[in-house]
Structures are given as structure tokens and as C-alpha cells.
Amino acid sequence: MKKYIVLLVTLAVCGFGCESLGVKSQDAKLEKRVQGLLSKMTLQEKVGQMTQVTLQVVAGESENGWQKLDEKKLREAIVEHHVGSILNCAGQARTVDNWHEIITTIQDIATKETRLGIPVIYGIDAIHGVNYTLGATIFPQNIAMAATGNVELMQVSGEITAFEMRASGIPWNFGPVLGLAREPMWPRVFETFGEDAYIASVMGAAYIKGLQGDDISAPTKAASCMKHYLGYSVPRSGQDRTPAYIPERQLRQLFLKPFAAAVKAGTATAMVNSSEINGIPVHASSFLLIELLRRELGFRGFVVSDWNDINNLYTREMVAKDQRDAVRIAVMAGVDMSMVPYDYSFYEHLVDLVETGEVPVSRINEAVGDILRVKLQLGLFDEPYPNKHLKAAFASEASRKINLKAARQAITLLKNDKETLPLQRKQKVLVAGPAANKLSLLNSGWTITWQGENEDLYPQEKKTILEAIQDKAGASNVTYIEGVTFDEEVDIAAAVSAAQDADTIIACLGEPTYCETPGNIDDLTMSRPQLELIERLAGTGKPIVLVLVEGRPRVIRTIVDDVQAVLMAYLPGMEGGQAVADILFGDANPSGKLPFTYPRYASGYTCYDHKKSEETAPNKFDPQWQFGHGLSYTSFAYSDLQLDKTELSADETLTVTVTVSNSGKRPGGEIVQLYLSDIVASVTPAVRSLKRFTKVHLQPGQSKSVTFVLGWDDFSFIGLDNKPVVEPGEFKVTVSDLSESFVIR
Ligand code: BGC
């Protein structure tokens, strides 16, 4: 904060022309402090800063459902091993007060009982809100946030998350996840912004802006950690933490883009992909961590390993002959901090490696300098303790409303035959399916616990889908029969018989809770008992509304014709039950659009920005639903697509305007999407790529003119030499059902 005030004063005195001077003097001051500290530190103190352990290492016995800190163990970590960072929640979410106690004790020891008083940087996975603080505002998972098409909302979710983190005393967030979900089996699809590089870039940068603001030392801002750099999201096997094979051209064309945008947005830190690309574990790749990330993208923060992943170079990836060798390889490749997380092996090996000259002190200074810089930027040296004043506004009603808005805007109407939806309130409804009555399933992994499975710990005042439907239709009009679990039949016959008395069936299907490796699956197809539930309910002839509560697109081809409407809820978060019911009964108009291609078959996944050969007969591109698909209860008409030029040079900009009108009877939101096609190129071009989107809200009869400006970055692709290039020729701009062409000279 102080830093900010100094900057403002500088600007006021010398005008904006001096801005860069002001920033430079800030930088110089910061550097002086970093170097000053480094010059005083012993090797052990430096290596300690590079060491991160999990809370369990310093926690004692379980007491009243949570582990208290063990001060002896804490001193062993911070005083004896000079540990610079602690992470995670050791089991389950804690209250704000618990967190205050934990962070205060840690910082007391770090700042008062160590020689240099360097504060600890505490890190947490605040993946969709501060999911490890009880009662926090828990947003839809990122896949759903991407579906909102609402960049501003994404930024606000980052602001609220940072606020609630800081209210919990925690300054560092292991997010956003910037991998591209181009392998639907992967169990971390829901943590991403979907398959498109542009959406992930824009949403990721907005989130970072929300989290960090312009000054991360502000009391309500937090440091972000873009992850998992790079290429983690497309394991060839579909299983978590297994190899990806990505040609450099594709790496740059797609996977690097969101990370480049995050660096530009100023992300303070980065976390490394647990696995490997083209046979090289990313934790061992100086090309990816130094050449590409630091030299090319200009990243200036620090790089943290993922969980136990330095050790994994020895035990799993088999590129190191022992644990010590693994430490050497990772540190020399550019990893600055090790999420060890259970012991001091990293610390001991690294001290030894430096003493024997196998790792130069200069490399240690670089890493520790980067870590200290972020600690200083966060203002931890001035204020390491939780700010008690923030507690009053923790999880405010205003934040809840924004959360509800996000869930409503995310939910995507995929099918709506004969205007089955919205439903009339006065009718008899049968609610069925395993996802109807559990809050945990609306949230899944990274909620209260790692796997998010413990329903008993969820806030009882929040509504499941069933409870929210009962509120709308009246409890006496709603019958609930689960019918099946995810794995087996319970009582389909009872559901079928209850359906006879119902006007409409609402079937809520999806996935159990999971995240990371425990969420691996062998088949993308929706589980057999759930499919059977629909098949048998369809026999009753009653209209079926299918609500999908899932973190990745499970294949449902065989039942799509059996149902009249399909609502994709994704993992809509703590207000998700309410939002689903609001949409079912027309109190909200759906406006989400799919941020991924919804496959029809479980194999041969093809993304929307595929090559022409992938859709030229006899091959066909025929997904269940297209990327960017999403219906509304109103209708939108597009007209007047205009380009300001039809011929331009590569360094000129192109202004595109289009008029969008609400041609239906209800107010509604529409995500206007602009696609660009490069017709002929020396590297086979994608049939189309999303280049811009914006969300507009229109009253019935209202029109709006939307303007997009495209430039060199949009016209370019990664060429034969793996560098971006714009080639002259014809391009096509498509917005909805309209398209116009232009030529680059
Ligand atoms: C995950 C990371 C996470 C870390 C700390 C790892 O298993 O891959 O995304 O930040 O754990 O919880």
C-alpha cells in the first residue's frame, strides 16, 4: 500500500510522463531490498526460502475436527530449516478464526524467532473461491465461469476470492489453471476455461487482474499462480499426470497463449506441469522454464514445483538416478521453490549440492531473489498478519448475489424441443437421478476437502437442485426418487411408476465428486445405470428435462433423443441448485455457451478449431453439440456485419461491427462470438478460431451494435519456422450466421 501511495505522489508531482521513472525507482528500491536481504543470508537460510512444506508437517494431533499447529514442529520447520512457505489445509476447510490463529502463529515464529525475520508465504488452492475456508463464497468451477462469457464477472470473482483469502490471512493462490481442455477424459477439465486458447487467455488474465489488482500489497489483494505450466491438460492416455505429446508449433499456437496472457497480466508466480511433454518432464526442462517462460515471455516471478514433483523425477519420471539428482536437475532447470511437501529432503540435498559446487550459488540467489521479491511485493514484510477488519465483510450478501449471477449465466441450454422449458410452476414434477439432492455434486473437487466429497460439511442453508425445485413448484407437487446411484440401480421401477403421476420429469445426472488423479475414468460415456434410468423413464412418454451436473462432457448420445430438454449445469458452485431451478422455471434466462465441444462418441475427440480434413467427407465433424452452442428462452437475430476495409496490410487493424437484436419475447443475454478463418496458409489452417467475444444483455425488441478490432496477433499463426507470421491472402470473419471476407496484401 505504501508503495502505491509513493507512486501516486510521484505521478501527481511530475505528471504521467514521469510514470516510467516512478515505476523504475520503485523497482530500484525493491531490488535494493532484495539484494540487501540476500547479502545477509546464509546458504541454509536461502535454501530454506526455496522449501515449501504442507501444513500437516507442522500440525499436531487432531482436535475438535481440525489439527492444531505443533509449535515444536513449526520451529523445526521455520527456525531450524528456514522454511519459507507452507501450503494447504491439512484435511478440511477451517473457519476464518482458525486460519487467523494458524497464520498468526506461523508468522510470529517466522518474523520474531529467526535471524532475519523473513515472513512465510502461505499458499492455498482457492480454485473456485476460498474453498478451504468454511462459509466462503464458492463460485462455479472455471469451466462454468468460461461458459458465462462474462469477463467482468470473472474479474469480480477474482476480486472476491482475493478478499476472502486475505480475510483468512492467506496471500497466495494456486490458480488460475490455464491448461486447455482438449482431452475430455482428463479429470481436471473442470478446473480449466475449456478448449479454446483465446477464452482461457482472456478469462485467466481477468481473474489475475481481479486477484492481484494493480498492487498486490493492497490489503485485499493476493498473488496468483498460473498453472500448470505447460501442456499438462492433454495427456495422450486421458489419465492424469501421464505424458503429453505436443509439437512445438502447436504448443505455441495454442497451449502457450493463456500463459503468455497471464505473464502479461502480471502473475506473480507459476506452478509447473506435474508431467512431461515429448519425453521431457517439465520440472526438468530448462527450455520451457527458462528459455520460453523467462527469456521469451518475460516472466519475472518465481516458479514453484507441483506436489512432490521434484522427487517424482526420480521415482516416477525416471530421469534422475536418486533424490539428490532430482533436486539438482529441477533447480538447474529453473524451479525456484519445491512443494516438497512432507519432509526436509529437498533442503538437505540442495544445501549439499551447493556446498559441493554442483549447483552454483548464483542459481540459488536468482531463485531466492525471485521469492523474496514476491514476498516484498505482497507487503508481507510490513504486514505478515491476518487483517482482522476484513472478517466482517467475509462472504457478504453482495458476494453471494454475484455468485448466483455467475451460476445463472453459466448454465447452458443445449436442447429445448417444443419449448419444453421454462416449466410452468403449477404442475406435478418427478425429480430423479443421483445429482438432484447433493450440494457436493454441484461443487465437486476442491470444495471444503480436496475431493469435495464430504456432504456433511457443506453449508446446510444452501439449496440442492431438488430443494430449489420444491421452493418453486411447492413441495407437495414434487416427488423425488433417486432411481440410480452413479454405479448401480436403486429403484428405477419406483421412478417409472411415480412418473405416471407427473407432468414433467427432471432427471439430474452427472458425475460423483472428484479431482486430480482420483477422477481418472476409462470411458467417457455416462455411467450405464444413469443411461438406463432415462431409457426406462422415456417409456412413460412424459417429457423429460435432463440436467447435467458434470465436470467434463460425458457421452450421452444414446439418450439425447429420449429427452425433450437438456440443461448443462457444469459444476455450478454453492448457488448452483438455486440457479438451476431459476432457469428451469424461467426466473432466469439461460445465456451460457459451451466452452468445449460436446462429443457424440467416447473416442476421436475433435476440437472446434480442427483442420478441414477432419470434416471433409468421408470424415465428418459431428459432435453432440458444437463449441459455443447455447440456447435461450428468447431469440437473437444478427444483421449488418461490416468490415471497415476489405483489403489491408498485416500491420493495419480491421474493425468489425455487427448488430445483435433480441427478436424474442424475453430479456436475455447473448455471447457474441467472432471467428476468423485464414483460408489458405503454409501450415494447414484451422477451419475457424475464436478471436473475440462479448456478452450483451438485451430487452425484447432491443438492438445493439457491437464492435471488435482485430490486428496482427489475430491474423498471425505459428509458421513453418515455429515463429508467428501473417501470410497474405483471403480471410473470413464469421459472427453467428453472417460472414464477410477480406484480403491481407
Ligand atoms: C495439484 C496442484 C495443487 C497442489 C497443491 C497438486 O496435487 O496438482 O494443482 O496446487 O497439489 O494442493
Side-chain angles (χ1 to χ4, degrees), residues 34-55:
V34 170
Q35 295 310 323
L37 275 166
L38 275 176
S39 68
K40 292 187 207 133
M41 292 169 85
T42 63
L43 172 63
Q44 286 72 6
E45 283 166 343
K46 288 176 184 171
V47 170
Q49 286 300 312
M50 297 170 69
T51 306
Q52 185 186 54
V53 295
T54 187
L55 186 59

mmCIF file of all heavy atoms in Angstrom, residues 34-55:
data_model
loop_
_atom_site.group_PDB
_atom_site.id
_atom_site.type_symbol
_atom_site.label_atom_id
_atom_site.label_comp_id
_atom_site.label_asym_id
_atom_site.label_seq_id
_atom_site.Cartn_x
_atom_site.Cartn_y
_atom_site.Cartn_z
ATOM 1 N N VAL A 34 15.810 -6.517 -1.961
ATOM 2 C CA VAL A 34 16.062 -7.940 -2.258
ATOM 3 C C VAL A 34 17.556 -8.241 -2.099
ATOM 4 O O VAL A 34 17.942 -9.184 -1.398
ATOM 5 C CB VAL A 34 15.584 -8.293 -3.696
ATOM 6 C CG1 VAL A 34 16.052 -9.680 -4.099
ATOM 7 C CG2 VAL A 34 14.065 -8.185 -3.804
ATOM 8 N N GLN A 35 18.375 -7.424 -2.739
ATOM 9 C CA GLN A 35 19.820 -7.672 -2.696
ATOM 10 C C GLN A 35 20.355 -7.520 -1.266
ATOM 11 O O GLN A 35 21.222 -8.279 -0.835
ATOM 12 C CB GLN A 35 20.572 -6.734 -3.656
ATOM 13 C CG GLN A 35 20.237 -6.961 -5.133
ATOM 14 C CD GLN A 35 20.336 -8.425 -5.566
ATOM 15 O OE1 GLN A 35 21.208 -9.170 -5.125
ATOM 16 N NE2 GLN A 35 19.396 -8.859 -6.409
ATOM 17 N N GLY A 36 19.805 -6.546 -0.545
ATOM 18 C CA GLY A 36 20.220 -6.336 0.839
ATOM 19 C C GLY A 36 19.973 -7.585 1.669
ATOM 20 O O GLY A 36 20.849 -8.042 2.426
ATOM 21 N N LEU A 37 18.802 -8.150 1.501
ATOM 22 C CA LEU A 37 18.476 -9.367 2.259
ATOM 23 C C LEU A 37 19.388 -10.512 1.845
ATOM 24 O O LEU A 37 19.955 -11.215 2.687
ATOM 25 C CB LEU A 37 17.019 -9.759 1.997
ATOM 26 C CG LEU A 37 15.967 -9.073 2.864
ATOM 27 C CD1 LEU A 37 14.581 -9.290 2.280
ATOM 28 C CD2 LEU A 37 16.018 -9.605 4.304
ATOM 29 N N LEU A 38 19.512 -10.676 0.531
ATOM 30 C CA LEU A 38 20.338 -11.785 0.027
ATOM 31 C C LEU A 38 21.759 -11.716 0.582
ATOM 32 O O LEU A 38 22.351 -12.747 0.936
ATOM 33 C CB LEU A 38 20.402 -11.735 -1.503
ATOM 34 C CG LEU A 38 19.263 -12.400 -2.269
ATOM 35 C CD1 LEU A 38 19.428 -12.163 -3.761
ATOM 36 C CD2 LEU A 38 19.197 -13.898 -1.983
ATOM 37 N N SER A 39 22.270 -10.488 0.681
ATOM 38 C CA SER A 39 23.660 -10.353 1.125
ATOM 39 C C SER A 39 23.829 -10.767 2.585
ATOM 40 O O SER A 39 24.922 -11.085 3.018
ATOM 41 C CB SER A 39 24.134 -8.912 0.910
ATOM 42 O OG SER A 39 23.428 -8.072 1.811
ATOM 43 N N LYS A 40 22.741 -10.746 3.324
ATOM 44 C CA LYS A 40 22.850 -11.124 4.736
ATOM 45 C C LYS A 40 22.569 -12.608 4.989
ATOM 46 O O LYS A 40 22.762 -13.109 6.085
ATOM 47 C CB LYS A 40 21.826 -10.323 5.557
ATOM 48 C CG LYS A 40 22.135 -8.843 5.632
ATOM 49 C CD LYS A 40 21.165 -8.175 6.598
ATOM 50 C CE LYS A 40 20.975 -6.728 6.220
ATOM 51 N NZ LYS A 40 19.608 -6.271 6.181
ATOM 52 N N MET A 41 22.043 -13.290 3.982
ATOM 53 C CA MET A 41 21.545 -14.652 4.240
ATOM 54 C C MET A 41 22.632 -15.716 4.118
ATOM 55 O O MET A 41 23.483 -15.647 3.232
ATOM 56 C CB MET A 41 20.408 -14.980 3.253
ATOM 57 C CG MET A 41 19.160 -14.176 3.495
ATOM 58 S SD MET A 41 17.961 -14.334 2.142
ATOM 59 C CE MET A 41 17.126 -15.833 2.626
ATOM 60 N N THR A 42 22.540 -16.712 5.009
ATOM 61 C CA THR A 42 23.425 -17.876 4.885
ATOM 62 C C THR A 42 22.869 -18.780 3.788
ATOM 63 O O THR A 42 21.705 -18.638 3.378
ATOM 64 C CB THR A 42 23.444 -18.685 6.183
ATOM 65 O OG1 THR A 42 22.106 -19.183 6.406
ATOM 66 C CG2 THR A 42 23.882 -17.841 7.377
ATOM 67 N N LEU A 43 23.667 -19.723 3.344
ATOM 68 C CA LEU A 43 23.192 -20.690 2.340
ATOM 69 C C LEU A 43 21.945 -21.406 2.859
ATOM 70 O O LEU A 43 20.960 -21.580 2.133
ATOM 71 C CB LEU A 43 24.308 -21.690 2.022
ATOM 72 C CG LEU A 43 23.872 -22.868 1.135
ATOM 73 C CD1 LEU A 43 23.411 -22.379 -0.234
ATOM 74 C CD2 LEU A 43 25.019 -23.871 0.974
ATOM 75 N N GLN A 44 21.991 -21.804 4.131
ATOM 76 C CA GLN A 44 20.867 -22.537 4.701
ATOM 77 C C GLN A 44 19.594 -21.684 4.689
ATOM 78 O O GLN A 44 18.509 -22.167 4.382
ATOM 79 C CB GLN A 44 21.175 -22.980 6.144
ATOM 80 C CG GLN A 44 22.146 -24.141 6.267
ATOM 81 C CD GLN A 44 23.596 -23.766 5.933
ATOM 82 O OE1 GLN A 44 23.935 -22.601 5.709
ATOM 83 N NE2 GLN A 44 24.450 -24.776 5.879
ATOM 84 N N GLU A 45 19.755 -20.426 5.032
ATOM 85 C CA GLU A 45 18.578 -19.544 5.027
ATOM 86 C C GLU A 45 18.024 -19.385 3.620
ATOM 87 O O GLU A 45 16.810 -19.343 3.415
ATOM 88 C CB GLU A 45 18.948 -18.171 5.614
ATOM 89 C CG GLU A 45 19.055 -18.212 7.130
ATOM 90 C CD GLU A 45 19.750 -16.985 7.718
ATOM 91 O OE1 GLU A 45 20.430 -16.255 6.978
ATOM 92 O OE2 GLU A 45 19.631 -16.781 8.940
ATOM 93 N N LYS A 46 18.908 -19.331 2.657
ATOM 94 C CA LYS A 46 18.448 -19.191 1.269
ATOM 95 C C LYS A 46 17.697 -20.447 0.818
ATOM 96 O O LYS A 46 16.598 -20.371 0.267
ATOM 97 C CB LYS A 46 19.639 -18.941 0.340
ATOM 98 C CG LYS A 46 20.243 -17.553 0.493
ATOM 99 C CD LYS A 46 21.469 -17.413 -0.389
ATOM 100 C CE LYS A 46 22.143 -16.065 -0.164
ATOM 101 N NZ LYS A 46 23.443 -15.987 -0.837
ATOM 102 N N VAL A 47 18.298 -21.587 1.048
ATOM 103 C CA VAL A 47 17.664 -22.829 0.585
ATOM 104 C C VAL A 47 16.332 -23.056 1.315
ATOM 105 O O VAL A 47 15.369 -23.560 0.729
ATOM 106 C CB VAL A 47 18.646 -24.014 0.749
ATOM 107 C CG1 VAL A 47 17.946 -25.340 0.507
ATOM 108 C CG2 VAL A 47 19.818 -23.847 -0.215
ATOM 109 N N GLY A 48 16.275 -22.617 2.562
ATOM 110 C CA GLY A 48 15.009 -22.707 3.303
ATOM 111 C C GLY A 48 13.901 -21.930 2.608
ATOM 112 O O GLY A 48 12.756 -22.383 2.536
ATOM 113 N N GLN A 49 14.248 -20.767 2.071
ATOM 114 C CA GLN A 49 13.244 -19.969 1.355
ATOM 115 C C GLN A 49 12.689 -20.726 0.156
ATOM 116 O O GLN A 49 11.580 -20.512 -0.276
ATOM 117 C CB GLN A 49 13.847 -18.642 0.880
ATOM 118 C CG GLN A 49 14.057 -17.625 1.982
ATOM 119 C CD GLN A 49 12.765 -17.247 2.674
ATOM 120 O OE1 GLN A 49 11.760 -16.947 2.035
ATOM 121 N NE2 GLN A 49 12.759 -17.281 3.996
ATOM 122 N N MET A 50 13.483 -21.616 -0.386
ATOM 123 C CA MET A 50 13.058 -22.369 -1.581
ATOM 124 C C MET A 50 12.259 -23.616 -1.206
ATOM 125 O O MET A 50 11.869 -24.396 -2.073
ATOM 126 C CB MET A 50 14.291 -22.769 -2.398
ATOM 127 C CG MET A 50 15.072 -21.582 -2.933
ATOM 128 S SD MET A 50 16.681 -22.059 -3.641
ATOM 129 C CE MET A 50 16.202 -22.962 -5.106
ATOM 130 N N THR A 51 12.056 -23.805 0.092
ATOM 131 C CA THR A 51 11.414 -25.034 0.576
ATOM 132 C C THR A 51 9.983 -24.756 1.017
ATOM 133 O O THR A 51 9.746 -23.853 1.814
ATOM 134 C CB THR A 51 12.223 -25.592 1.769
ATOM 135 O OG1 THR A 51 13.579 -25.735 1.368
ATOM 136 C CG2 THR A 51 11.665 -26.919 2.249
ATOM 137 N N GLN A 52 9.064 -25.545 0.512
ATOM 138 C CA GLN A 52 7.666 -25.400 0.916
ATOM 139 C C GLN A 52 7.175 -26.734 1.482
ATOM 140 O O GLN A 52 7.351 -27.778 0.844
ATOM 141 C CB GLN A 52 6.817 -25.027 -0.305
ATOM 142 C CG GLN A 52 5.368 -24.742 0.045
ATOM 143 C CD GLN A 52 4.521 -24.509 -1.200
ATOM 144 O OE1 GLN A 52 4.505 -25.335 -2.106
ATOM 145 N NE2 GLN A 52 3.797 -23.401 -1.240
ATOM 146 N N VAL A 53 6.589 -26.674 2.677
ATOM 147 C CA VAL A 53 6.031 -27.912 3.251
ATOM 148 C C VAL A 53 4.528 -27.751 3.448
ATOM 149 O O VAL A 53 4.009 -26.641 3.499
ATOM 150 C CB VAL A 53 6.694 -28.289 4.603
ATOM 151 C CG1 VAL A 53 8.165 -28.619 4.430
ATOM 152 C CG2 VAL A 53 6.486 -27.210 5.653
ATOM 153 N N THR A 54 3.865 -28.883 3.552
ATOM 154 C CA THR A 54 2.415 -28.848 3.750
ATOM 155 C C THR A 54 2.094 -28.692 5.242
ATOM 156 O O THR A 54 2.898 -29.062 6.107
ATOM 157 C CB THR A 54 1.749 -30.092 3.136
ATOM 158 O OG1 THR A 54 0.333 -29.928 3.211
ATOM 159 C CG2 THR A 54 2.148 -31.376 3.829
ATOM 160 N N LEU A 55 0.922 -28.143 5.503
ATOM 161 C CA LEU A 55 0.524 -27.825 6.879
ATOM 162 C C LEU A 55 0.646 -29.034 7.817
ATOM 163 O O LEU A 55 1.013 -28.891 8.987
ATOM 164 C CB LEU A 55 -0.924 -27.297 6.870
ATOM 165 C CG LEU A 55 -1.487 -26.765 8.182
ATOM 166 C CD1 LEU A 55 -0.660 -25.618 8.728
ATOM 167 C CD2 LEU A 55 -2.937 -26.288 7.992
#
